[in-house]
Amino acid sequence: MKSIVVKQPNDLIIEEREVPQPAKGEVRVKVKLAGICGSDSHIYRGHNPFAKYPRVIGHEFFGIIDDVGENVDIARIGERVSVDPVISCGHCYPCSVGRPNVCESLTVLGVHRDGGFSQYAVVPSQNAYTIPDEISDESAVMIEPFTIAANVTAHLKPTENDVALIYGAGPMGLTSVQALKGVYNVKEVIVVDRIDERLNMAKISGADRVINNTSLSLKDELDRLSIKPTVIIDAACHPSILQEAITIASPAARILIMGFSSEACPITQQSITSKELSIFSSRLNAKKFPVVIDWLKEKLIDPQKLITHRFDYIKVIQAIETFEKDQKQCCKVLLTFS
Ligand code: NAI
Ligand code: MN
Ligand code: ZN
């Protein structure tokens, strides 16, 4: 089989490997589609501190089970599945409180262990979620990015009275827009970005208002419009954003950050406590595949709106470079496997 392997930073090859045998409790997935995410590019470029090389990257993938290991029902062979990349121990403190995404011995497929950019991948059976026939292959491969929004909104508990502001109209901002509007029906969703083409995608995904903050003060603009966001999601993740979010937030607002920058961001106790703000963070997803599968069954979200490019896996370098360079036209780039 062919696998896409990052041998070391900036050195990616398509390698011939043995088709893996599923171990006890595992299934083998014949991969059909995989999505390129920022973190794949970060591992390729050597910017992910958790990555170990060589690594088969890819943590967003869909395919068909074609073999099972010991202790797995043989009837699973032939199932269409999407794979949750989060592998957890099941018994540490975070696992015991329903937070396997921050398991003390967390393993993420495509980061800590070989992932889905391969003709075949072996994964724990419980990580391979059955996809109902009514959900298309392309929607199924988009489940993982939407589980990030499911995790974010599980923390924020949005309501119809909320006015939400999202920083960033990349894939993460857009999945959040769709969840807030399609699933939670919040009153208003405002998206802030510096790229008009991306803001246009935010409108297509349901944003009520978009603001390009390249050359204006977001605070002044919101004051002018008399908008006080009650929910703020930082899906742009620049370290300067948290302070601004605290400043523009309504009293009693909830703010959620998703970034991994190690740069300090100065914030004061007073600015948080005086408005009694709640600040959450969200990482990966805590068993949110079934949630997003339900969203898809009920047609509350539309992943097609995010898919802009498709490449045969042989052209993976071109696909990643397009994803990295063309922020105006590119959102989700899919790789097709045969
Ligand atoms: P992206 O890079 O495609 O999108 C970020 C967007 O933010 C871009 O459109 C950019 O123009 C915009 N932006 C940057 N600075 C801004 C500013 N100061 N004001 C307004 N807009 C600004 O990235 P993607 O894939 O959407 O991911 C977003 C972030 O979320 C990344 O930092 C990524 O590391 C993080 N992430 C976190 C996850 C988690 O579970 N915590 C999961 C996936 C991604
Ligand atoms: Mn991803
Ligand atoms: Zn654990």
mmCIF file of all heavy atoms in Angstrom, residues 87-96 99-106, ligand 3:
data_model
loop_
_atom_site.group_PDB
_atom_site.id
_atom_site.type_symbol
_atom_site.label_atom_id
_atom_site.label_comp_id
_atom_site.label_asym_id
_atom_site.label_seq_id
_atom_site.Cartn_x
_atom_site.Cartn_y
_atom_site.Cartn_z
ATOM 1 N N ILE A 87 -7.435 8.901 20.948
ATOM 2 C CA ILE A 87 -7.355 7.612 21.643
ATOM 3 C C ILE A 87 -6.979 7.883 23.097
ATOM 4 O O ILE A 87 -5.994 8.583 23.360
ATOM 5 C CB ILE A 87 -6.321 6.683 20.971
ATOM 6 C CG1 ILE A 87 -6.718 6.432 19.509
ATOM 7 C CG2 ILE A 87 -6.206 5.366 21.737
ATOM 8 C CD1 ILE A 87 -5.691 5.619 18.724
ATOM 9 N N SER A 88 -7.790 7.354 24.013
ATOM 10 C CA SER A 88 -7.607 7.674 25.434
ATOM 11 C C SER A 88 -7.556 6.395 26.255
ATOM 12 O O SER A 88 -7.948 5.330 25.784
ATOM 13 C CB SER A 88 -8.760 8.556 25.894
ATOM 14 O OG SER A 88 -9.987 7.942 25.528
ATOM 15 N N CYS A 89 -7.093 6.506 27.517
ATOM 16 C CA CYS A 89 -6.878 5.307 28.337
ATOM 17 C C CYS A 89 -8.165 4.792 28.973
ATOM 18 O O CYS A 89 -8.285 3.612 29.300
ATOM 19 C CB CYS A 89 -5.831 5.588 29.410
ATOM 20 S SG CYS A 89 -6.448 6.512 30.832
ATOM 21 N N GLY A 90 -9.121 5.698 29.215
ATOM 22 C CA GLY A 90 -10.406 5.276 29.782
ATOM 23 C C GLY A 90 -10.450 5.251 31.302
ATOM 24 O O GLY A 90 -11.519 5.032 31.875
ATOM 25 N N HIS A 91 -9.321 5.451 32.008
ATOM 26 C CA HIS A 91 -9.404 5.353 33.471
ATOM 27 C C HIS A 91 -8.703 6.462 34.242
ATOM 28 O O HIS A 91 -8.808 6.502 35.462
ATOM 29 C CB HIS A 91 -8.917 3.971 33.937
ATOM 30 C CG HIS A 91 -7.585 3.594 33.372
ATOM 31 N ND1 HIS A 91 -6.421 4.177 33.784
ATOM 32 C CD2 HIS A 91 -7.250 2.708 32.395
ATOM 33 C CE1 HIS A 91 -5.413 3.643 33.096
ATOM 34 N NE2 HIS A 91 -5.889 2.768 32.235
ATOM 35 N N CYS A 92 -7.994 7.369 33.581
ATOM 36 C CA CYS A 92 -7.346 8.457 34.323
ATOM 37 C C CYS A 92 -8.400 9.479 34.761
ATOM 38 O O CYS A 92 -9.581 9.343 34.419
ATOM 39 C CB CYS A 92 -6.280 9.130 33.448
ATOM 40 S SG CYS A 92 -6.965 10.014 32.036
ATOM 41 N N TYR A 93 -8.012 10.509 35.507
ATOM 42 C CA TYR A 93 -9.002 11.486 35.969
ATOM 43 C C TYR A 93 -9.789 12.123 34.817
ATOM 44 O O TYR A 93 -11.025 12.046 34.804
ATOM 45 C CB TYR A 93 -8.359 12.561 36.880
ATOM 46 C CG TYR A 93 -9.339 13.674 37.139
ATOM 47 C CD1 TYR A 93 -10.440 13.471 37.976
ATOM 48 C CD2 TYR A 93 -9.222 14.896 36.479
ATOM 49 C CE1 TYR A 93 -11.387 14.462 38.164
ATOM 50 C CE2 TYR A 93 -10.172 15.886 36.661
ATOM 51 C CZ TYR A 93 -11.250 15.670 37.508
ATOM 52 O OH TYR A 93 -12.191 16.642 37.671
ATOM 53 N N PRO A 94 -9.126 12.760 33.823
ATOM 54 C CA PRO A 94 -9.928 13.365 32.751
ATOM 55 C C PRO A 94 -10.845 12.352 32.046
ATOM 56 O O PRO A 94 -12.013 12.662 31.763
ATOM 57 C CB PRO A 94 -8.895 13.958 31.792
ATOM 58 C CG PRO A 94 -7.550 13.631 32.320
ATOM 59 C CD PRO A 94 -7.697 13.109 33.699
ATOM 60 N N CYS A 95 -10.351 11.147 31.792
ATOM 61 C CA CYS A 95 -11.222 10.136 31.170
ATOM 62 C C CYS A 95 -12.423 9.839 32.064
ATOM 63 O O CYS A 95 -13.548 9.692 31.575
ATOM 64 C CB CYS A 95 -10.442 8.846 30.905
ATOM 65 S SG CYS A 95 -9.381 8.930 29.447
ATOM 66 N N SER A 96 -12.195 9.795 33.380
ATOM 67 C CA SER A 96 -13.283 9.416 34.302
ATOM 68 C C SER A 96 -14.355 10.490 34.384
ATOM 69 O O SER A 96 -15.463 10.229 34.833
ATOM 70 C CB SER A 96 -12.730 9.134 35.701
ATOM 71 O OG SER A 96 -12.389 10.351 36.343
ATOM 72 N N ARG A 99 -13.699 13.516 29.800
ATOM 73 C CA ARG A 99 -12.838 14.424 29.037
ATOM 74 C C ARG A 99 -11.652 13.651 28.439
ATOM 75 O O ARG A 99 -10.496 13.997 28.665
ATOM 76 C CB ARG A 99 -12.324 15.554 29.949
ATOM 77 C CG ARG A 99 -13.432 16.246 30.779
ATOM 78 C CD ARG A 99 -14.088 17.392 30.056
ATOM 79 N NE ARG A 99 -13.172 18.500 29.931
ATOM 80 C CZ ARG A 99 -12.979 19.448 30.862
ATOM 81 N NH1 ARG A 99 -13.659 19.413 31.983
ATOM 82 N NH2 ARG A 99 -12.145 20.434 30.636
ATOM 83 N N PRO A 100 -11.924 12.583 27.657
ATOM 84 C CA PRO A 100 -10.851 11.754 27.101
ATOM 85 C C PRO A 100 -9.937 12.522 26.146
ATOM 86 O O PRO A 100 -8.823 12.086 25.876
ATOM 87 C CB PRO A 100 -11.617 10.658 26.354
ATOM 88 C CG PRO A 100 -12.929 11.267 26.012
ATOM 89 C CD PRO A 100 -13.257 12.165 27.177
ATOM 90 N N ASN A 101 -10.407 13.669 25.667
ATOM 91 C CA ASN A 101 -9.604 14.491 24.760
ATOM 92 C C ASN A 101 -8.384 15.095 25.453
ATOM 93 O O ASN A 101 -7.475 15.556 24.777
ATOM 94 C CB ASN A 101 -10.473 15.608 24.156
ATOM 95 C CG ASN A 101 -11.253 16.382 25.203
ATOM 96 O OD1 ASN A 101 -11.719 15.810 26.189
ATOM 97 N ND2 ASN A 101 -11.394 17.670 25.025
ATOM 98 N N VAL A 102 -8.393 15.108 26.794
ATOM 99 C CA VAL A 102 -7.200 15.554 27.518
ATOM 100 C C VAL A 102 -6.711 14.439 28.451
ATOM 101 O O VAL A 102 -6.173 14.688 29.531
ATOM 102 C CB VAL A 102 -7.420 16.894 28.280
ATOM 103 C CG1 VAL A 102 -7.415 18.053 27.306
ATOM 104 C CG2 VAL A 102 -8.723 16.891 29.085
ATOM 105 N N CYS A 103 -6.900 13.190 28.013
ATOM 106 C CA CYS A 103 -6.400 12.007 28.720
ATOM 107 C C CYS A 103 -4.921 12.187 29.070
ATOM 108 O O CYS A 103 -4.157 12.759 28.301
ATOM 109 C CB CYS A 103 -6.563 10.784 27.804
ATOM 110 S SG CYS A 103 -5.782 9.286 28.415
ATOM 111 N N GLU A 104 -4.561 11.669 30.233
ATOM 112 C CA GLU A 104 -3.158 11.808 30.661
ATOM 113 C C GLU A 104 -2.209 11.039 29.748
ATOM 114 O O GLU A 104 -1.022 11.355 29.692
ATOM 115 C CB GLU A 104 -3.006 11.354 32.119
ATOM 116 C CG GLU A 104 -3.562 12.392 33.068
ATOM 117 C CD GLU A 104 -3.591 11.961 34.525
ATOM 118 O OE1 GLU A 104 -3.015 10.892 34.850
ATOM 119 O OE2 GLU A 104 -4.209 12.673 35.330
ATOM 120 N N SER A 105 -2.717 10.030 29.049
ATOM 121 C CA SER A 105 -1.844 9.362 28.074
ATOM 122 C C SER A 105 -2.483 9.446 26.679
ATOM 123 O O SER A 105 -2.620 8.452 25.967
ATOM 124 C CB SER A 105 -1.579 7.917 28.480
ATOM 125 O OG SER A 105 -2.753 7.292 28.924
ATOM 126 N N LEU A 106 -2.862 10.659 26.327
ATOM 127 C CA LEU A 106 -3.535 10.926 25.053
ATOM 128 C C LEU A 106 -2.676 10.519 23.851
ATOM 129 O O LEU A 106 -1.481 10.810 23.790
ATOM 130 C CB LEU A 106 -3.822 12.436 24.967
ATOM 131 C CG LEU A 106 -4.461 12.953 23.677
ATOM 132 C CD1 LEU A 106 -5.886 12.458 23.558
ATOM 133 C CD2 LEU A 106 -4.443 14.487 23.668
HETATM 134 ZN ZN ZN B 3 -7.164 8.700 30.210
#
